[in-house]
Structure formats: C-alpha cells, structure tokens
Amino acid sequence: MGRLAVVLLALFAAPLDALERPPSYVVIFCDDLGYGDIGCFGSTKHRTPNIDRIATEGMRLTSFYSTSGVCTPSRSSLLTGCYPRRVNMHQNAAGEWVLFPIARKGLAPAEVTIAEVLRERGYATACIGKWHLGDQRPFLPTRQGFDSYFGIPYSNDMGVRQRRPVENPPLPLMRDEEVIEAPADQTTLTRRYTEEAIAFIRKNRDRPFFLYLPHTFPHWPLHSSERFRGKSANGPFGDTVEEIDWSTGRLLDTLDELDIARTTLVLFTSDNGAASRHGGSNGQLRGHKGSVWEGGMRVPCVVRWPGVVPAGSTCDEVTTTMDLLPTFARLAGAAPPADRVIDGRDIGTLLRGEPGARSPHEAFFYYFRDRLGAVRAGKWKLHLPGVERRRGRDREIGLQLYDLDADIAESRNVAADHPVVVKRL
C-alpha cells in the first residue's frame, strides 16, 4: 500500500473530531421552498445548477424533516436541536402560529444554540438573513451566540399590515442590534446577503466558522433583483429560487477559490414546505406549508463535504433539522449541552454513507402548534384524528395510516389492514 493510501485510510478511520482543523459549516435555509422546487428533487421549472451541484458532489437527504410547517417553530429547532414545544417556540404569546413584530416573547436567552456550542470551540459565527425568533434586543442573534447579524428580524410580509389591530413598523433591515434601513429594499436582499456571506467567509478563511444563512425568499411577497426578475419559467416565485441558486453558486465558488471546500460542510434546505399558492411545489407530497402532511414538513436537503460525504449519494433515512446541533458539535469536538433534553441525534454515520447506517430516530413527531398531529416510525406514518384545512375550509379527519415507502403521496389509508402498527404508533 502506498504512503498516500495509508494516510487517507488513517484519516477516514479516525474520529472526525480528532482532525487537526474541525470543519466549518455553511447552512443555507430557505423560506417556503417546497420539496419539488429544485432540480435535484424533480423540478422542471426552476434552473438550480448550483444547488444541484451540491447533490452531485455530495448527498441528497430525501426523508429530511423540519419540525413545523411554519417559520418560527422550525427555526427554533434548527438552532437548539429541540422540538419547538420543548423551547416554548411552538406559538406566540397569543397562541398564533408565529412571532409577529414587537413580540413579547422570543427564543429564551437560557436556551443553547448551535452558534453558542461552536463559539465555545473557537468558531467565528454569523447569522445573515431572516431571524424570526424574537425582534426585541434580548432575543436577537447577537444574544444567541452569533458574533454578527445582518438581515430582517421576521417575515418579509410583516411590515405595515392594515389587517392587524396595530400597524407594524416598516420592515427593518438590521446590522447586529441596530436598524440600518426601513423599509428594507427587498429587491436587493438576496444579493446583499450573498455579499455579506462572502465577506464573512473571506475574513475567517483561516479558522473554523459557522455561517447561518436563512434566506428571506421564496416567502411571499416575492422580490428579486433586476438581473433575475422575469427570467424564470415560473414567474416571481421561480425568479427568487433562481437568484438563491446564483447566491449558492457564489458561496461554493468562494470556498473553492479560498481552497477551503474540503474543510467546509455545506447544507442546503428549507424551513417548511411550499405554500398552497404563489408558485411553489411540494412535488409528489400531499399537503403544504402549515400542515402535518409530508408536503408541510418534509423538505429538500442536500449536503456537501468533499472527501467525507460520498459524492452523488442519496440517504432516505429519517433525519431532521434538530440533528444539526448534535452532529455539528460532535464533528467540532464538542458536545451538546448536558443539562437539558436535546431531541436531535448525531447523523454523522449517515452523512459518511457508512454501510448499514440507520436513522437514530425511533420516531419522528409532527406537531401542529399545541397538539400532536402525526408520528412516523420507519416507513409507517400515523395521522391522529383532528382538523385539516383544505381550500380555506376546515374538515375533520379520522385515524389514518400510510406506508411512506410505497405511498409517498399519502393517498391510501391502510389503517384497517395494519391494526398492530396503528396500536404501536
């Protein structure tokens, strides 16, 4: 065996947290991007060569879940590794789905985020984009482990809204803890986020870093720069997706240019499924944003880490946004906080494509605000009795069981055929 082969064998046999330099992380988190909205997940309307490149050079996670069908709860899980109810982010103080401007609550300062875990290990940390975990100072990213922040503090439709009892202020663009523009020029946001992200990567090229890039789009209202406006085959929605793809390409090119691609894990995903209007697609999945059907919470995910994540691979094991904290901590030589329950699990064996690797989750729970709506274990998914909203109307639904391996569209209720499975779930 040659010397190079021996070195490579030793490298991949060693624990990843024993490497000389721990990996950097780039997490690109879209807003309302559906399961069928990128090329490598079946889109024929959107040109996404750069996102598809992550899949070609890395892995598609095809059973990757957000913990909620809406913004605030899903973001809390990605950052804390917990189901939203565990960190009291499943609804706002008034019992509504998400936080609104001038909210009385936010992600509690006592919670521990990925950024805080990694910063303890010497990582540079930055949040660039939409936050939506509290817009008051004690809840801002700079109080949650991020060295810097540039972006909007909540959804881009939450500027002045006449339908709410109190008018909200103009949509602010913030740097750290100060408003620098109001209303934010939304046509420039994706470009400006990209410029900020590239500057952060360049500044920290010689040390491990964590870049969290939660894009504003393709959340409605849809805005894109002049370069992309009207250029896609899917109207304003497609324009925003293709600009996000351009942004992703610029980040990948920067990592290549700086020769740090091999020490950087890049993960691209979405906070929840596409809405039932505005142009997004959840592919074959039933349901949409805000639901506990697969289309609400199963999201596209691609991961690249050259030399570690097998190129051109696919993993269909159950994985979640909650898994990022324990996985990233382990790879960085750290550990999740030991003084609380963390619902996420280390999925390093899956990312490395190890033979026989299986999901570390015995079950995954689909929550709808303050109630449990469904549970998945292996290929089986059980919907509990409740209310479903379709075409603007509520209707009661009963107990339903689906075999997701055979019926990803949740079209055939097989509960009557599998009473033992129903009882177990």
Side-chain angles (χ1 to χ4, degrees):
M1 183 181 293
R3 177 176 175 77
L4 177 59
V6 172
V7 171
L8 289 175
L9 181 62
L11 174 65
F12 288 104
L16 288 171
D17 57 5
L19 300 181
E20 183 175 338
R21 169 175 166 168
S24 294
Y25 304 107
V26 175
V27 175
I28 305 169
F29 201 48
C30 293
D31 196 334
D32 292 3
L33 183 80
Y35 195 79
D37 277 330
I38 56 178
C40 56
F41 274 75
S43 177
T44 57
K45 290 184 176 181
H46 303 147
R47 296 168 296 188
T48 57
N50 296 297
I51 300 166
D52 299 344
R53 175 186 164 195
I54 299 177
T56 300
E57 299 177 356
M59 176 181 289
R60 291 189 315 136
L61 298 175
T62 52
S63 286
F64 187 80
Y65 288 91
S66 168
T67 60
S68 174
V70 292
C71 303
T72 295
S74 64
R75 289 156 201 276
S76 71
S77 292
L78 183 148
L79 288 176
T80 67
C82 298
Y83 282 106
R85 286 188 57 141
R86 195 177 297 284
V87 294
N88 193 25
M89 284 282 100
H90 56 296
Q91 57 190 17
N92 70 9
E96 298 172 301
W97 292 21
V98 299
L99 298 181
F100 288 95
I102 321 175
R104 288 183 292 156
K105 67 182 288 188
L107 183 64
E111 300 298 343
V112 178
T113 68
I114 299 177
E116 289 172 298
V117 171
L118 295 178
R119 192 157 71 171
E120 286 293 313
R121 294 289 296 170
Y123 277 66
T125 59
C127 174
I128 299 170
K130 171 184 163 181
W131 177 240
H132 214 175
L133 290 173
D135 64 332
Q136 300 304 293
R137 192 155 292 184
F139 309 125
L140 291 175
T142 45
R143 308 295 180 95
Q144 303 281 6
F146 290 98
D147 299 329
S148 61
Y149 172 54
F150 179 83
I152 59 173
Y154 34 73
S155 292
N156 66 322
D157 64 338
M158 293 182 178
V160 177
R161 294 162 60 118
Q162 299 294 339
R163 71 177 180 84
R164 294 187 64 78
V166 178
E167 277 195 0
N168 296 333
L171 180 70
L173 178 66
M174 303 185 69
R175 184 175 296 281
D176 297 330
E177 299 184 1
E178 303 298 328
V179 174
I180 61 171
E181 183 177 302
D185 182 353
Q186 296 197 48
T187 66
T188 68
L189 288 181
T190 300
R191 174 181 59 78
R192 292 161 82 180
Y193 292 168
T194 306
E195 292 169 351
E196 292 281 334
I198 290 173
F200 172 78
I201 292 172
R202 290 189 181 280
K203 178 180 178 181
N204 295 286
R205 61 185 296 180
D206 295 323
R207 62 183 291 196
F209 59 80
F210 171 47
L211 170 61
Y212 173 48
L213 176 55
H215 277 291
T216 296
F217 304 111
H219 192 283
W220 185 89
L222 299 161
H223 294 273
S224 56
S225 66
E226 183 66 29
R227 176 178 176 180
F228 293 90
R229 196 174 308 130
K231 303 296 175 58
S232 81
N234 192 28
F237 188 96
D239 297 345
T240 67
V241 173
E242 293 189 2
E243 186 160 19
I244 288 171
D245 181 76
W246 163 84
S247 169
T248 302
R250 294 280 289 116
L251 298 186
L252 296 177
D253 290 344
T254 300
L255 296 174
D256 290 341
E257 175 194 336
L258 299 177
D259 197 25
I260 55 174
R262 296 187 68 83
T263 57
T264 305
L265 184 156
V266 177
L267 184 145
F268 179 100
T269 189
S270 179
D271 65 343
N272 46 249
S276 56
R277 55 191 187 280
H278 308 315
S281 169
N282 294 312
Q284 303 176 59
L285 306 183
R286 179 175 177 177
H288 48 75
K289 173 182 179 176
S291 75
V292 296
W293 297 104
E294 292 297 281
M297 295 171 60
R298 191 193 290 211
V299 289
C301 182
V302 289
V303 185
R304 186 190 82 164
W305 186 7
V308 179
V309 175
S313 58
T314 297
C315 175
D316 196 44
E317 294 291 314
V318 172
T319 49
T320 82
T321 54
M322 299 182 294
D323 301 331
L324 300 193
L325 186 148
T327 304
F328 288 6
R330 164 74 166 82
L331 296 175
D339 62 345
R340 65 200 67 205
V341 174
I342 299 297
D343 299 300
R345 298 291 183 264
D346 181 358
I347 57 171
T349 58
L350 295 174
L351 295 182
R352 292 191 292 272
E354 294 186 6
R358 294 290 181 263
S359 171
H361 296 279
E362 180 182 1
F364 173 75
F365 300 96
Y366 304 68
Y367 285 100
F368 178 76
R369 283 192 283 181
D370 59 349
R371 71 174 179 85
L372 180 64
V375 58
R376 175 176 178 177
K379 69 178 184 177
W380 299 109
K381 180 180 178 183
L382 183 74
H383 283 262
L384 302 178
V387 176
E388 178 192 20
R389 174 162 283 258
R390 298 191 73 180
R391 297 182 176 90
R393 296 183 178 182
D394 290 340
R395 69 182 185 98
E396 294 287 335
I397 62 172
L399 201 67
Q400 301 182 35
L401 179 71
Y402 296 97
D403 176 352
L404 293 179
D405 283 356
D407 181 23
I408 193 174
E410 297 174 281
S411 62
R412 299 184 299 277
N413 179 9
V414 296
D417 300 328
H418 301 279
V420 174
V421 175
V422 170
K423 182 177 180 179
R424 175 168 62 90
L425 294 186

